[in-house]
Amino acid sequence: MAALHLQTPLFKTLPKTNSPKHPKKPFFKPSYHQSSHLPNTPQTQKIHPLFTNKEEGTEMVEKTKVEEIMQVVEKRPFYLYSKAQITRNVEAYKEALEGLDNSVIGYAIKANNNFLILNHLRSLGCGAVLVSGNELRLALKAGFDPTRCIFNGNGKLLEDLVLAAQEGVFVNIDSEFDLDNIVSAARIAGKKVNVLLRINPDVDPQVHPYVATGNKNSKFGIRNEKLQWFLDQVKSYPDELKLVGAHCHLGSTITKVDIFRDAAEIMVKFIDEIRAQGFDISYLNIGGGLGIDYYHTGTVLPTPRDLIDTVRDLVKSRNLNLIIEPGRSLIANTCCLVNRVTGVKTNGTKNFIVIDGSMAELIRPSLYDAYQHIELVSPPPPDAAVSTFDVVGPVCESADFLGKNRELPAPARGSGLVVHDAGAYCMSMASTYNLKMRPPEYWVEEDGSVSKIRHGETFDDHMRYFEGL
């Protein structure tokens, strides 16, 4: 990776300065020292929005102005990360798990599948949570320990299960046909598979219905009343299956840890029942789903320690190893989508800021009606009027918006605009709709330099799919 020698926190705001817009040499290096042990008291600062703009000023990543980075990278929408914040987020989870030996932080690859980010998370000690065969292959390419990987999903394919069996990955049993496929995969691979039963605890996570996964209407998991049938089936395949744990996953963007407590209490009772039938259960997987402050209102949200502490006594009382599956809370607040303003317009009743980014690069607002905080990269002209705008892209859909009814100063054409907290479920869900090619990604290194960590796709890339046909 070629370092761009810019610098860098994450996205924060500093007062406007008279520094030159086009520096001739690298900026000074960040002065912070990243400790491997995080203190208990400021835990709320570890999983916290990095892009806060409480007063008019300049957007920063670590110690680097975003507008400075915009001068030296490709002139197109791009994702910009802080590598240091990824580290800090992982360390917050690791500290929260102290005292719970053999626990697994299984990073949910679906949240963000950038290969260099995966390498970094693996180097920090994370395992991986997989929901497709290609995610499994990617985790293996990135060097994850397969015995610290968990293969989830309600429609796992036989050929992918064979690979999981060969590699020694934990596999969740999600249904009757899933169990049949896992047994077949074990026989083909000639390996006994360590399995967990994904039990639907029917707990309401109080989130958007599209991201609720642990209630009775969910497509995921086995019904409580079918537990005994599954236990009998597992017993009948002693050469193929070893039941080692129970798993549940409630949903995503959860902001109340008592919901995890409710689910854990249900799950340990199931584990008691399962153990009473002679199974050596050693793992409780409580899934992921911890939310973040997308609104940037300063709301005090649960931290990793809050989450782990709410289930700690239950895990210890049964001598269990804990598996957690964070995705959003590890990666969302480490990144923003950087855009340029194409122009400002009005239709007489509504005002629009039109940018070069769109729902193709970041679909969460269009798909989930999700809120993501938006700020201008640098202070607007002194005479810029503050108005209510919809921030929209150039895609030919009325659903193409990044934010609605936002109070912002009218930006100058060509100026920068950032969509905050874009690390999770943004680039991984990007598309080429309207032939908007997927954007490049960069991160700020610990030494303050900026490196490209994914090439942006091009029109030539698209045409290569048709060569020779």
Side-chain angles (χ1 to χ4, degrees):
M1 299 180 297
L4 300 178
H5 297 295
L6 288 175
Q7 300 199 194
T8 52
L10 306 161
F11 298 71
K12 68 178 183 181
T13 298
L14 295 184
K16 184 177 180 180
T17 68
N18 294 317
S19 58
K21 293 183 67 175
H22 303 288
K24 301 297 185 183
K25 58 184 179 180
F27 302 111
F28 58 90
K29 300 299 183 186
S31 59
Y32 67 82
H33 173 70
Q34 176 62 41
S35 170
S36 61
H37 179 78
L38 301 176
N40 292 333
T41 49
Q43 184 71 14
T44 55
Q45 300 304 310
K46 303 306 174 187
I47 306 292
H48 189 273
L50 307 178
F51 313 91
T52 53
N53 195 341
K54 299 300 182 186
E55 57 184 275
E56 186 178 67
T58 301
E59 292 293 304
M60 304 286 288
V61 183
E62 299 294 347
K63 297 182 184 299
T64 303
K65 292 181 179 181
V66 175
E67 70 174 333
E68 305 280 13
I69 297 173
M70 292 176 69
Q71 303 301 321
V72 294
V73 301
E74 297 172 64
K75 193 173 181 180
R76 58 188 290 186
F78 63 93
Y79 282 100
L80 181 61
Y81 299 80
S82 164
K83 188 177 182 181
Q85 185 63 23
I86 297 172
T87 300
R88 287 192 279 268
N89 288 352
V90 174
E91 293 295 338
Y93 269 102
K94 289 169 71 173
E95 188 209 36
L97 287 165
E98 287 179 358
L100 295 177
D101 297 336
N102 301 316
S103 298
V104 177
I105 301 172
Y107 168 68
I109 288 181
K110 64 180 180 176
N112 187 308
N113 57 31
N114 182 286
F115 186 65
L116 274 68
I117 290 174
L118 295 183
N119 273 314
H120 183 53
L121 290 168
R122 185 259 309 150
S123 75
L124 296 172
C126 289
V129 174
L130 325 160
V131 292
S132 74
N134 281 338
E135 287 190 354
L136 169 56
R137 293 175 185 91
L138 186 62
L140 295 174
K141 286 276 189 183
F144 283 91
D145 179 352
T147 65
R148 292 172 62 80
C149 292
I150 305 95
F151 193 10
N152 292 339
N154 68 307
K156 300 183 285 291
L157 300 179
L158 178 59
E159 56 266 34
D160 298 332
L161 287 167
V162 171
L163 178 60
Q166 291 170 339
E167 297 292 338
V169 171
F170 289 111
V171 179
N172 276 321
I173 298 174
D174 189 87
S175 65
E176 293 87 344
F177 70 78
D178 197 37
L179 186 148
D180 288 342
N181 280 333
I182 296 168
V183 170
S184 296
R187 289 172 175 169
I188 294 169
K191 297 280 187 72
K192 183 181 288 190
V193 180
N194 289 325
V195 296
L196 296 85
L197 282 173
R198 179 164 181 171
I199 300 172
N200 187 328
D202 194 17
V203 171
D204 180 8
Q206 300 175 35
V207 297
H208 191 289
Y210 286 7
V211 293
T213 58
N215 56 41
K216 64 182 179 181
N217 296 318
S218 173
K219 70 176 184 177
F220 301 102
I222 68 173
R223 293 173 292 159
N224 299 345
E225 61 268 24
K226 289 279 288 185
L227 175 60
Q228 188 58 55
W229 184 90
F230 280 93
L231 295 177
D232 292 340
Q233 288 294 304
V234 171
K235 287 177 187 176
S236 68
Y237 296 109
D239 297 328
E240 293 84 6
L241 306 177
K242 181 180 180 182
L243 183 59
V244 298
H247 170 253
C248 70
H249 194 293
L250 304 178
S252 193
T253 68
I254 298 171
T255 57
K256 298 178 181 179
V257 293
D258 58 343
I259 293 170
F260 290 98
R261 175 72 185 197
D262 293 343
E265 288 178 345
I266 293 170
M267 294 301 294
V268 295
K269 290 178 181 177
F270 285 132
I271 288 174
D272 290 343
E273 294 178 21
I274 296 168
R275 281 177 168 174
Q277 297 190 38
F279 291 98
D280 183 17
I281 298 294
S282 53
Y283 290 93
L284 170 61
N285 185 338
I286 61 169
L290 197 63
I292 68 167
D293 181 15
Y294 278 111
Y295 286 86
H296 288 211
T297 59
T299 302
V300 178
L301 294 177
T303 65
R305 175 166 290 279
D306 294 329
L307 168 59
I308 302 306
D309 282 352
T310 198
V311 301
R312 186 182 302 274
D313 62 318
L314 292 172
V315 173
K316 284 193 165 187
S317 69
R318 267 65 169 194
N319 194 28
L320 290 164
N321 302 313
L322 184 65
I323 299 174
I324 55 173
E325 302 180 346
R328 186 187 315 276
S329 57
L330 280 183
I331 199 69
N333 74 347
T334 70
C335 172
C336 71
L337 177 67
V338 183
N339 312 269
R340 286 177 171 81
V341 175
T342 305
V344 176
K345 65 176 289 187
T346 181
N347 64 7
T349 59
K350 212 165 193 31
N351 302 316
F352 301 93
I353 297 173
V354 184
I355 59 174
D356 56 356
S358 70
M359 66 184 289
E361 291 85 4
L362 198 160
I363 199 173
R364 290 188 70 251
S366 300
L367 182 62
Y368 301 119
D369 199 27
Y371 178 95
Q372 298 207 217
H373 198 61
I374 294 174
E375 296 285 355
L376 302 183
V377 163
S378 54
D383 58 348
V386 175
S387 300
T388 302
F389 292 97
D390 284 4
V391 179
V392 300
V395 163
C396 193
E397 290 274 355
S398 294
D400 179 27
F401 63 91
L402 281 301
K404 290 187 173 182
N405 299 318
R406 304 301 177 88
E407 296 291 324
L408 291 166
R413 184 181 304 178
S415 60
L417 179 147
V418 297
V419 181
H420 291 228
D421 305 311
Y425 306 102
C426 294
M427 182 59 179
S428 65
M429 299 177 78
S431 74
T432 58
Y433 187 45
N434 283 198
L435 279 188
K436 291 271 289 165
M437 310 313 294
R438 279 181 283 257
E441 295 179 288
Y442 301 85
W443 69 13
V444 178
E445 305 268 9
E446 288 91 341
D447 67 358
S449 61
V450 176
S451 299
K452 180 183 283 189
I453 59 172
R454 178 173 174 146
H455 295 295
E457 295 179 13
T458 67
F459 179 75
D460 288 340
D461 293 328
H462 177 72
M463 293 308 299
R464 272 192 281 271
Y465 291 114
F466 307 99
E467 290 178 358
L469 299 180

